[in-house]
Amino acid sequence: MPKRSRVDVISLGCSKNLVETERLLKQLEAKGYAPFFDCENPVGEYVVVNTCGFISDAKEESINTILSLAQKKKNGEIGKLVVMGCLSQRYLEELKREIPEVDHWFGKFDWTDFVELLPSLKQTEGTPKIWERKLTTPPHSAYLKIAEGCNRFCAFCAIPHITGRYHSRPIDEILEEVRSLVAQGVKEFNVIAQDLSSYGTDIYGKNSLAVLIDRIADIKGVEWIRLHYAYPADFPEDLMEVMRKRDNVCKYLDIAFQHISDPVLKNMRRHISRGETLNLIAKLRHDVPGIRIRTTLMTGFPGEGEKEFEELKEFVASCRFDRMGAFTYCEEDDTFAAANLQDIIPDEEKKRRLDIIMGMQQEISQELNEQLVGTVQKVLVDRIEGKMAFGRTQYDSPEVDPEVVINEINPDVKPGSFIDVRITEAYPFELIGVQDGNKI
């Protein structure tokens, strides 16, 4: 039997989606409901799925989750089924026809209407501000979304069709959110947007990312600021000075280059050339000494012949990225590539190329990590299991980057502590160490 006054919320997809889920949880709590996040066995009076509609695997996961919950509803295990997010934003009418078991459909931006449907279970002193959240991350770490949407319209990407045009949040609103999160104990802020490089251009008439990050860094209690999802074209070079000068701005940048061959970059509509890409990487490493760069690459995009793939391999080998992810090209509905470019490279060949560059990256990661053996690194402890702790350096983003496994810790170390760790062993995607000295 469904449990009254309980709402189970399942969040799929990226960290940007997770922020919306956390805002929903806060709104539900304010009305007196007991929201449960990503429960393995949902039994709520309401079950809400925040879907992802970005790539085929994510869409499949979202649909399978909805169908599984529809069966639970049929069995009487849950109450009403609610769907929101990118998938329903993109395919609302088709989904309504195909999955009639869903009671309420919402898109990416109108989910507050669901909260309005629910009767209040307690007296409230007002609705939480739209940016207020119930964190699902460890209490010392939070994602900070500074913008929505995208104006780039890369040939392979459907996100602009889902999220709409670029829309920056005002600086003052973001700073208010940061101060609120610091007061709750958050020390690490992972700044996210679909395109950091465009921040402020829509509301201030010029790029304002450096100004924003500098002002966040001024807030007492902000220990680490990490930057995710910059766009190579029109990269705000004044940000480099902020990264170099501010100790609490991590020397870390997540910037997706996707490819290096000029013909492929042109087909991708990336608005940047091979030469400009290499110049940007060189400038980043010169102007921000010690910076770690995470990038994302794609194999098998239309126009990637053997020559272009060799260029990509040479790019991986010569640039030696500190962190790298990659994926194979797959046609997405409503994109320029799907409508205008022929996807003729077999999936097996795309996967072969992917395996090659990821194998190269594994060797590079091993070599770079081995250079850290014997050094002392400042580590943020995420969790403790028995006598071991697990944490990250400033160069490691949650979930996607390596962890530091700490075999010997002082008894007073808690999650959220910053400690010095002497690195004793290195693997491609993991570091091993022991606590060095006292907690800092």
Side-chain angles (χ1 to χ4, degrees):
M1 285 288 292
K3 293 187 178 181
R4 291 187 58 80
S5 305
R6 170 167 165 157
V7 182
D8 286 288
V9 181
I10 298 168
S11 191
L12 305 174
C14 65
S15 54
K16 297 182 289 295
N17 233 27
L18 182 63
V19 169
E20 295 305 314
T21 295
E22 292 176 339
R23 290 172 177 172
L24 170 63
L25 294 172
K26 184 69 174 181
Q27 300 268 340
L28 291 169
E29 275 194 339
K31 296 196 77 167
Y33 289 83
F36 286 77
F37 173 70
D38 275 1
C39 178
E40 291 185 4
N41 184 33
V43 292
E45 182 180 2
Y46 292 89
V47 177
V48 184
V49 185
N50 190 2
T51 59
C52 179
F54 177 37
I55 57 176
S56 56
D57 287 348
K59 288 185 285 188
E60 182 177 354
E61 180 188 22
S62 293
I63 290 170
N64 288 340
T65 300
I66 296 168
L67 292 174
S68 173
L69 291 168
Q71 185 61 48
K72 286 181 176 291
K73 177 188 171 185
K74 183 178 179 181
N75 296 342
E77 299 172 51
I78 65 173
K80 293 186 180 298
L81 178 54
V82 181
V83 176
M84 60 180 275
C86 291
L87 187 74
S88 47
Q89 178 77 22
R90 190 175 182 189
Y91 299 109
L92 180 61
E93 295 308 317
E94 298 97 311
L95 290 168
K96 281 183 175 180
R97 290 194 300 269
E98 295 295 327
I99 315 178
E101 295 88 350
V102 174
D103 295 280
H104 299 289
W105 294 95
F106 299 95
K108 183 172 176 60
F109 304 106
D110 61 350
W111 58 264
T112 53
D113 293 347
F114 165 63
V115 181
E116 294 300 317
L117 287 176
L118 301 177
S120 293
L121 301 182
K122 68 175 184 179
Q123 286 293 113
T124 60
E125 297 181 358
T127 303
K129 295 178 180 179
I130 190 61
W131 50 260
E132 290 188 88
R133 293 185 269 156
K134 176 182 172 65
L135 292 181
T136 60
T137 52
H140 54 269
S141 179
Y143 292 104
L144 181 68
K145 184 159 67 170
I146 66 171
E148 189 66 83
C150 185
N151 292 346
R152 301 292 184 171
F153 290 95
C154 297
F156 52 83
C157 183
I159 284 178
H161 303 287
I162 301 171
T163 61
R165 305 290 283 185
Y166 197 87
H167 179 69
S168 304
R169 294 177 59 198
I171 288 177
D172 288 345
E173 179 183 286
I174 295 170
L175 296 179
E176 185 181 9
E177 179 178 7
V178 171
R179 293 188 188 98
S180 172
L181 290 169
V182 167
Q184 298 173 46
V186 175
K187 302 175 182 179
E188 174 189 53
F189 291 84
N190 294 293
V191 179
I192 56 174
Q194 188 61 36
D195 170 17
L196 286 183
S197 299
S198 294
Y199 176 77
T201 54
D202 56 320
I203 57 175
Y204 300 120
K206 61 181 180 179
N207 191 290
S208 304
L209 182 61
V211 173
L212 172 66
I213 299 305
D214 202 37
R215 293 189 62 183
I216 294 174
D218 277 335
I219 297 174
K220 186 177 181 181
V222 175
E223 298 281 352
W224 277 356
I225 303 166
R226 194 178 290 105
L227 304 173
H228 301 77
Y229 320 130
Y231 196 89
D234 311 311
F235 183 84
E237 294 189 1
D238 56 346
L239 178 66
M240 299 181 197
E241 182 178 5
V242 175
M243 295 183 73
R244 183 176 69 252
K245 290 185 175 181
R246 303 304 299 251
D247 290 339
N248 57 352
V249 179
C250 296
K251 305 302 184 285
Y252 176 103
L253 182 66
D254 191 328
I255 179 168
F257 290 112
Q258 303 296 0
H259 218 280
I260 193 60
S261 170
D262 279 327
V264 179
L265 289 170
K266 184 177 180 180
N267 280 358
M268 287 180 166
R269 306 173 89 190
R270 292 290 286 175
H271 316 293
I272 194 169
S273 68
R274 171 191 176 90
E276 291 166 337
T277 298
L278 295 176
N279 287 341
L280 175 58
I281 294 170
K283 186 168 180 59
L284 282 165
R285 287 175 166 165
H286 177 270
D287 289 7
V288 189
I291 190 172
R292 271 39 167 204
I293 299 175
R294 161 173 274 280
T295 197
T296 304
L297 301 177
M298 183 188 300
T299 63
F301 192 79
E304 185 192 72
E306 286 296 335
K307 176 178 179 294
E308 290 75 20
F309 179 60
E310 287 300 317
E311 286 186 72
L312 186 63
K313 287 168 57 180
E314 190 275 333
F315 181 53
V316 172
S318 61
C319 285
R320 294 175 63 83
F321 293 106
D322 303 275
R323 312 281 184 260
M324 193 186 88
F327 58 101
T328 60
Y329 170 68
C330 180
E331 279 190 358
E332 289 298 324
D333 297 340
D334 306 319
T335 61
F336 178 88
N340 297 280
L341 302 175
Q342 286 190 309
D343 182 16
I344 60 173
I345 301 174
D347 289 344
E348 295 80 5
E349 176 61 16
K350 295 176 185 176
K351 179 65 164 53
R352 184 187 74 85
R353 296 177 185 181
L354 174 69
D355 291 343
I356 288 173
I357 63 169
M358 288 308 298
M360 294 172 63
Q361 180 61 34
Q362 181 167 331
E363 293 182 6
I364 291 168
S365 295
Q366 176 70 46
E367 292 167 4
L368 293 176
N369 280 347
E370 284 176 354
Q371 295 174 11
L372 297 176
V373 173
T375 68
V376 176
Q377 300 292 322
K378 180 179 178 180
V379 171
L380 175 60
V381 176
D382 283 325
R383 67 188 192 280
I384 295 174
E385 297 178 6
K387 295 182 179 180
M388 298 173 62
F390 298 81
R392 292 170 291 108
T393 71
Q394 66 167 308
Y395 313 117
D396 303 307
S397 190
E399 299 181 10
V400 297
D401 288 330
E403 281 190 316
V404 182
V405 180
I406 309 145
N407 286 319
E408 298 175 24
I409 56 172
N410 294 338
D412 60 341
V413 172
K414 301 290 189 294
S417 299
F418 285 97
I419 61 174
D420 280 337
V421 175
R422 183 171 298 278
I423 305 302
T424 58
E425 299 176 60
Y427 300 93
F429 308 113
E430 187 177 72
L431 294 171
I432 311 294
V434 296
Q435 186 172 358
D436 186 82
N438 296 320
K439 184 173 60 171
I440 58 173

